[in-house]
Amino acid sequence: MTAGTSTTARTDDGFVEALRAHSRRYHDQHPFHVRMNAGRLGPHQLRGWIANRFYYQENIPRKDAAILSNCPDPDVRRRWIRRIVDHDGQQPGEGGIEAWLRLAEAAGLTREEVRDHRHLVPGVRFAVDAYVTFTRTRPWVEAVASSLTELFAPDLMAERLAAFERWYPWIDAGGLAYFRARLDQAPRDCEHALEVVTEHCLTAESQARAIDALSFKCDVLWSLMDAIDRAYPG
Ligand code: AHQ
C-alpha cells in the first residue's frame, strides 16, 4: 500500500492527479538529461547514452508482449499491440528500434557495437530487466500503469528534439526520427493506458497499486540514468 492512502477510492480526477504527481520524479529532471538539454554533453557521453538506451528500446516490445500475454481483454489487446508494431515495424528496416539504430549511426556508433551491448553498463541492464520482469509478473493493469511515465514524456521529446537540433548539429537530423515519431505515439499510448487504469482501478487498494507501479517505473528510469551518468561523467 502507498503510505497515506485513504481507504476509499479517489475520484477519477483525484486518481489521475495522484498519478501525475509522480512527474516530480520523472527522469527529464535527472542531471544527465538536464546537461543534455543544455548542450553540455560531449560526443562520448551522448554515444554512451544512445548505446545504453538501446537496451531499453529493444526491450520495450518484449515488455509490451508480456502485458498482452497477461491481458484477457481483446479490446485492450487490439490497441496495445500497436506499441509492438511501432517498435518492431511491419518488416525489417522499419520501426522504432531501427530508428534508434539510425540515431546511433548518426552519432558515430556502428549498429554492431550497439546491438552487441559492448557499451551496456550493469545498472542499465538491471533497471531494464527489472522493468521487463515487473510487466511479466505483476497483474496486467499494474504493468499498464507502469507505462504511464509517458504522461510526462511529450514535453520531454519536444525539448530533447530542440536541444539536439540546437546543440548537437553534428548528429544528422535524420537520426532524430525516433524522437519525432514519439511526439504522436506517446500521447496516443498514454491516452489508452490512462483509460485502462481509470476503468480498472476502482478501489483504494487497486489505485494505490497503480500509483506504486508508476513510482517503481520512475525509479527504473532514474536508476538507469544514474548508471549512465556514472559511466559517462561530465
Ligand atoms: O521511447 C520510449 C518509449 O517507447 C516508451 C514506452 C513507454 C512504456 O511503455 O514504458 N515509455 C517509454 C519511454 C520512451 N522514451 C523515454 C525517453 O526519455 O526517451 C521515456 C520512456 C518513458 O517515459 O517511460
Side-chain angles (χ1 to χ4, degrees):
M1 277 289 275
T2 302
T5 43
S6 68
T7 53
T8 53
R10 291 177 168 89
T11 61
D12 266 7
D13 290 349
F15 178 37
V16 173
E17 203 177 300
L19 289 167
R20 285 191 182 280
H22 280 286
S23 66
R24 289 192 300 273
R25 298 174 48 241
Y26 189 49
H27 71 170
D28 60 342
Q29 291 140 69
H30 190 284
F32 191 93
H33 278 151
V34 171
R35 292 203 305 276
M36 177 187 284
N37 288 347
R40 290 174 32 219
L41 296 184
H44 176 63
Q45 292 169 295
L46 269 176
R47 292 186 189 117
W49 177 82
I50 291 167
N52 275 276
R53 267 292 308 273
F54 180 75
Y55 189 70
Y56 179 79
Q57 299 303 137
E58 67 179 334
N59 276 283
I60 286 173
R62 302 184 67 184
K63 73 94 191 171
D64 286 327
I67 293 172
L68 280 176
S69 70
N70 290 331
C71 174
D73 183 334
D75 291 333
V76 171
R77 291 200 303 264
R78 266 191 289 275
R79 286 174 70 183
W80 202 268
I81 202 163
R82 284 181 313 194
R83 292 165 175 250
I84 296 182
V85 175
D86 285 346
H87 285 85
D88 289 338
Q90 301 267 19
Q91 54 196 342
E94 290 181 357
I97 293 171
E98 172 62 28
W100 198 273
L101 287 170
R102 290 187 190 156
L103 168 64
E105 289 179 303
L109 291 157
T110 66
R111 297 167 78 95
E112 185 198 7
E113 69 183 302
V114 169
R115 300 187 73 151
D116 70 12
H117 302 154
R118 69 186 73 169
H119 303 299
L120 182 62
V121 296
V124 172
R125 181 196 293 282
F126 289 120
V128 174
D129 289 357
Y131 184 29
V132 175
T133 301
F134 183 90
T135 59
R136 284 178 175 156
T137 57
R138 303 295 298 177
W140 72 277
V141 174
E142 287 182 44
V144 168
S146 69
S147 76
L148 282 171
T149 37
E150 280 213 296
L151 275 176
F152 321 129
D155 307 339
L156 167 142
M157 286 300 170
E159 196 182 345
R160 183 179 296 159
L161 258 175
F164 270 66
E165 288 164 350
R166 176 176 182 187
W167 302 112
Y168 311 113
W170 53 274
I171 295 180
D172 181 81
L176 307 181
Y178 181 79
F179 303 139
R180 286 196 185 85
R182 292 310 297 169
L183 290 173
D184 297 327
Q185 290 170 352
R188 178 207 68 192
D189 289 349
C190 254
E191 183 185 341
H192 181 216
L194 211 47
E195 261 178 50
V196 168
V197 169
T198 50
E199 277 171 20
H200 286 81
C201 298
L202 304 175
T203 65
E205 165 62 16
S206 60
Q207 290 178 353
R209 288 170 69 163
I211 292 166
D212 282 350
L214 184 53
S215 177
F216 162 79
K217 174 62 175 314
C218 285
D219 289 346
V220 163
L221 294 175
W222 197 274
S223 54
L224 186 154
M225 290 309 299
D226 279 348
I228 292 174
D229 200 6
R230 182 172 173 76
Y232 297 90

